[in-house]
Amino acid sequence: MKRIFLFDVDGTLTVARKKITTEMSKFLKDLRKNNLIGFVGGSDLCKQKEQLGNDVLMDFDYAFPENGLVAYKDGKLLQKENLANFLSEDKLKKLINVILHYIADLEIPVKRGTFIEFRTGMLNVSPIGRNCSYQERLDFYAYDQENNIRQTMIDKLTPEFKNYGLQTSIGGQISFDVFPIGWDKTFCLPFLQQDGITEIHFFGDKTYQGGNDYEIFQSDNTIGHTVKSPDETRDIITKILHG
């Protein structure tokens, strides 16, 4: 039986948008001596390198940026999907326009820049804007927890693209993703299964319905673990290894 420990990034291997600690890096290096390890995150590879290190593709056996729509094994690119090819340019333009109009009329305490980030396989939408400072990120997350800004936005926008074959999920602290149905984190699983990996332990913090870890956490092909911090991730793995 081949086993892998597969991780979300924010809130699981690192504090949200922060760099991995030396302690966690050493833990993963030791874990990898006798186990396969991988990560699957919603962010693009550039952001994941900022958090996990420039050598991230070689530090993990499998790397799945953008929910696995960009897939690497042993540092080599396996496959890349593209949202622009999935949607027509007209549909994509309409979707972006609707989102920007909504954000323009949205009343929240702070707005910054980069409200939509066009990634390879998804749109990442941030009501506050990804250019916010770390403190502004924390403040927005607390505000969103009380006022459901992101979920309300999803509920209002979904009817606008209900025939586009798209779905949404909330991830991180300030944004949500829009992507084709089925292009969630379960997209990465076939790459593991085709290599004969039969025991997939997945760790994530957004495992509730609507969170971007929900589908892979619920999958029959994974053993899901909900965590609230990198420390809890290490504790659960230690228990799995040592009983």
Side-chain angles (χ1 to χ4, degrees):
M1 180 180 294
K2 293 179 68 176
R3 176 171 64 187
I4 188 170
F5 291 98
L6 182 65
F7 306 98
D8 167 52
V9 180
D10 276 350
T12 303
L13 290 181
T14 74
V15 174
R17 290 303 301 141
K18 291 293 187 179
K19 291 184 178 180
I20 193 168
T21 64
T22 302
E23 183 181 14
M24 178 58 93
S25 292
K26 184 180 184 305
F27 179 84
L28 292 175
K29 185 177 181 179
D30 291 341
L31 178 65
R32 194 182 180 194
K33 291 176 181 177
N34 296 301
N35 300 273
L36 295 171
I37 64 171
F39 71 85
V40 53
S43 295
D44 58 30
L45 181 60
C46 181
K47 289 185 178 62
Q48 288 160 348
K49 283 185 175 181
E50 290 175 5
Q51 292 180 258
L52 301 177
N54 288 327
D55 295 328
V56 64
L57 294 181
M58 301 309 300
D59 290 340
F60 290 79
D61 299 290
Y62 294 85
F64 298 116
E66 302 189 42
N67 291 354
L69 303 174
V70 183
Y72 294 87
K73 176 186 176 183
D74 298 329
K76 297 179 180 178
L77 181 67
L78 297 176
Q79 181 174 308
K80 180 185 289 189
E81 293 290 346
N82 193 299
L83 179 63
N85 292 336
F86 179 85
L87 290 175
S88 68
E89 193 60 44
D90 286 343
K91 286 182 177 180
L92 185 58
K93 219 165 24 174
K94 181 181 178 182
L95 175 60
I96 291 173
N97 287 344
V98 168
I99 292 171
L100 289 176
H101 277 295
Y102 184 96
I103 292 176
D105 295 331
L106 180 63
E107 289 296 333
I108 54 176
V110 171
K111 287 183 184 178
R112 295 297 180 251
T114 312
F115 300 103
I116 298 178
E117 189 173 79
F118 186 89
R119 297 177 180 172
T120 304
M122 68 180 75
L123 294 181
N124 179 262
V125 180
S126 175
I128 184 177
R130 298 198 66 88
N131 290 355
C132 62
S133 68
Y134 185 69
Q135 186 57 53
E136 289 166 343
R137 167 187 286 269
L138 297 180
D139 292 343
F140 175 82
Y141 182 65
Y143 185 81
D144 185 52
Q145 293 292 96
E146 293 184 4
N147 296 278
N148 295 314
I149 300 300
R150 288 182 290 178
Q151 188 58 57
T152 300
M153 188 173 177
I154 288 171
D155 294 341
K156 293 285 181 64
L157 292 177
T158 297
E160 297 285 346
F161 51 87
K162 64 181 179 180
N163 297 321
Y164 285 16
L166 300 173
Q167 66 183 94
T168 60
S169 68
I170 294 175
Q173 296 173 308
I174 61 169
S175 65
F176 62 90
D177 297 325
V178 183
F179 51 90
I181 293 171
W183 288 20
D184 52 64
K185 288 185 179 180
T186 60
F187 196 88
C188 75
L189 296 180
F191 296 106
L192 305 177
Q193 293 166 322
Q194 70 187 14
D195 285 347
I197 299 173
T198 54
E199 185 179 334
I200 303 170
H201 288 268
F202 172 75
F203 297 78
D205 65 323
K206 298 289 192 302
T207 58
Y208 51 82
Q209 190 164 8
N212 67 351
D213 297 322
Y214 176 75
E215 290 84 1
I216 191 169
F217 174 79
Q218 292 285 347
S219 172
D220 292 337
N221 296 311
T222 67
I223 302 168
H225 306 276
T226 302
V227 298
K228 296 179 181 178
S229 68
D231 287 343
E232 190 170 7
T233 299
R234 288 201 306 271
D235 290 344
I236 293 174
I237 292 173
T238 300
K239 289 178 182 177
I240 292 172
L241 295 177
H242 302 293

